[in-house]
Amino acid sequence: MSESGIKKLSQERTREWLASQAASADDEELESIAESSVVDSLDYDYTEDDDIDQNTSEEISTLTLGTQITAKKDSIISDTIRDLMNSINSIQTLGNVNISNSTNVHIGNVTNINGNIQIIADGLSRRDRRHVSPSKDSAPKPQTHFDDDYQDESEERVRSDVFIKRQKFKIPKELCSIIPRHSWLAQKPMEDPMPLQLPVKYVVILHTATESSEKRAINVRLIRDMQCFHIESRGWNDIAYNFLIGCDGNIYEGRGWQTVGAHTLGYNKISLGISFIGCFMRELPTMDALNMCRNLLARGVEDGHISSDYRLICHCQCNSTESPGRQLYEEIQTWPHFYNIEEEEEEQ
């Protein structure tokens, strides 16, 4: 059938439908509607082969106004829409499931998160978070228009206070959580560790003389670098200290409670070495770090690792060094159990 024949047939069908729907309409109006309602066959490529290959090729047809969709085509359209919605929403349905003699079975989506998770309360604005970030003992810093980036970075600090929907919950200071060696990816000792005779009589406070940080990730990197330096450059068996305390308020396991350290010449076999991560010649560690050190000492006594009448000393009292820094040394002298070795030597 030629193109003009198809167009003529479509126009006739349209006119018949319009006549039945609006017999009283004006003839000129009907002509206008008929002309605009016909789908032009030139919108697609039509050839004579289409008439011959109707059974083998995809059907191409045009619909005029008033033509009702058959039940078959209605079903096809519904199925197509349903499939499209399912693909968009990724909806999966399961029938009856029977599982027996199995373990670790999970049905449904699984989300694995590797790393730290930061939770920010819904009702806590950015301005409020800035006000609650600093500790009570820290001096307020003047705010200027160009220090927004610095303040945003400080919000990542790990604090001992938890805020959930503006309700403040204080984590008890008595809690003493020690981050084990595997959490900071420690190397194994080069040789079998030497056991420490417990309970120890002395506890030595030191500093690492490195940078300090209130972020756990940076402290982990510093500890790993220290262990590598102590093993490869110093030739020691492991990282020197029994424990390390970061300004993030975390306690990191070094050699632990039961192993002789390599922190203080002449005192390694009779003491535990606790080192603050950083250099504290002109400033103190954070209050969280100082509190965690006190908690660690209390836990050591409670668990029988440290003698109840232990002597707390600093590295500079035993060897010629600035460790643990002048500011921290003055702070430790105010703590209970601090022991003045110089007075003992004068009495002898």
Side-chain angles (χ1 to χ4, degrees):
M1 182 179 296
S2 63
E3 297 179 7
S4 59
I6 294 176
K7 185 174 182 180
K8 184 178 180 180
L9 179 59
S10 299
Q11 290 176 347
E12 291 178 356
R13 290 178 179 177
T14 302
R15 290 192 186 95
E16 292 175 359
W17 178 80
L18 290 174
S20 63
Q21 297 295 324
S24 61
D26 186 75
D27 291 340
E28 294 181 358
E29 184 179 358
L30 290 177
E31 289 290 339
S32 176
I33 296 176
E35 291 293 337
S36 62
S37 63
V38 176
V39 179
D40 192 351
S41 61
L42 296 179
D43 290 343
Y44 61 89
D45 296 332
Y46 179 85
T47 61
E48 293 182 357
D49 294 338
D50 291 340
D51 290 335
I52 300 174
D53 299 332
Q54 287 182 357
N55 295 331
T56 58
S57 62
E58 182 179 358
E59 179 183 359
I60 300 176
S61 62
T62 59
L63 297 178
T64 58
L65 291 176
T67 304
Q68 294 186 355
I69 300 176
T70 61
K72 180 179 179 181
K73 291 185 177 181
D74 187 16
S75 176
I76 294 174
I77 294 174
S78 299
D79 293 340
T80 303
I81 295 176
R82 186 184 304 108
D83 294 339
L84 178 62
M85 295 302 297
N86 287 341
S87 64
I88 294 175
N89 297 327
S90 299
I91 299 175
Q92 298 180 357
T93 58
L94 295 174
N96 296 330
V97 178
N98 185 9
I99 300 174
S100 60
N101 298 327
S102 301
T103 58
N104 297 328
V105 177
H106 184 91
I107 299 176
N109 296 329
V110 177
T111 301
N112 295 322
I113 300 176
N114 297 323
N116 298 330
I117 301 176
Q118 183 181 12
I119 300 176
I120 300 176
D122 295 339
L124 199 59
S125 65
R126 186 174 181 179
R127 181 181 298 274
D128 293 334
R129 289 200 300 272
R130 288 182 182 176
H131 289 316
V132 301
S133 291
S135 61
K136 294 181 180 179
D137 299 322
S138 61
K141 296 182 179 180
Q143 298 200 5
T144 60
H145 66 281
F146 54 81
D147 62 353
D148 288 340
D149 294 337
Y150 174 81
Q151 292 176 355
D152 291 345
E153 186 178 46
S154 67
E155 292 174 6
E156 299 181 11
R157 297 175 179 176
V158 179
R159 295 295 179 185
S160 60
D161 298 339
V162 179
F163 295 84
I164 301 178
K165 294 192 181 297
R166 295 186 177 273
Q167 298 298 321
K168 181 177 178 181
F169 299 87
K170 193 75 172 181
I171 297 178
K173 289 296 184 181
E174 291 75 18
L175 294 179
C176 182
S177 177
I178 299 175
I179 297 177
R181 290 173 60 92
H182 65 80
S183 293
W184 56 270
L185 304 178
Q187 301 180 44
K188 292 184 178 180
M190 302 302 294
E191 299 176 357
D192 292 337
M194 181 180 299
L196 186 63
Q197 186 175 357
L198 301 177
V200 295
K201 183 71 174 179
Y202 293 90
V203 176
V204 183
I205 303 297
L206 312 92
H207 73 180
T208 61
T210 62
E211 63 177 303
S212 62
S213 177
E214 296 184 23
K215 297 181 181 179
R216 176 171 173 175
I218 296 179
N219 285 322
V220 167
R221 174 180 61 81
L222 292 172
I223 295 173
R224 294 182 64 186
D225 290 344
M226 276 184 278
Q227 185 190 36
C228 182
F229 174 74
H230 290 172
I231 293 176
E232 296 182 4
S233 298
R234 297 295 189 183
W236 296 336
N237 188 38
D238 196 354
I239 192 169
Y241 316 111
N242 295 94
F243 295 96
L244 299 97
I245 300 177
C247 287
D248 57 349
N250 286 320
I251 303 171
Y252 298 88
E253 181 185 17
R255 298 199 182 192
W257 295 110
Q258 302 179 354
T259 302
V260 174
H263 47 83
T264 308
L265 183 63
Y267 286 82
N268 291 322
K269 295 182 179 180
I270 58 174
S271 68
L272 284 171
I274 302 175
S275 184
F276 286 84
I277 302 175
C279 182
F280 304 102
M281 296 292 293
R282 298 180 178 86
E283 62 181 4
L284 285 173
T286 61
M287 290 303 302
D288 289 338
L290 295 173
N291 288 332
M292 284 299 105
C293 184
R294 295 188 185 96
N295 295 344
L296 182 64
L297 294 172
R299 176 174 173 178
V301 173
E302 182 180 354
D303 294 346
H305 303 300
I306 302 175
S307 176
S308 58
D309 58 346
Y310 70 93
R311 297 175 177 180
L312 184 64
I313 58 178
C314 291
H315 192 197
C316 59
Q317 296 177 262
C318 309
N319 303 136
S320 178
T321 178
E322 293 287 350
S323 174
R326 297 173 185 174
Q327 290 292 327
L328 183 55
Y329 178 44
E330 293 179 3
E331 170 69 20
I332 297 300
Q333 292 182 58
T334 64
W335 289 16
H337 293 273
F338 175 77
Y339 183 69
N340 195 327
I341 299 178
E342 290 79 2
E343 293 181 359
E344 180 185 20
E345 293 176 351
E346 291 178 359
E347 292 178 358
Q348 293 178 351

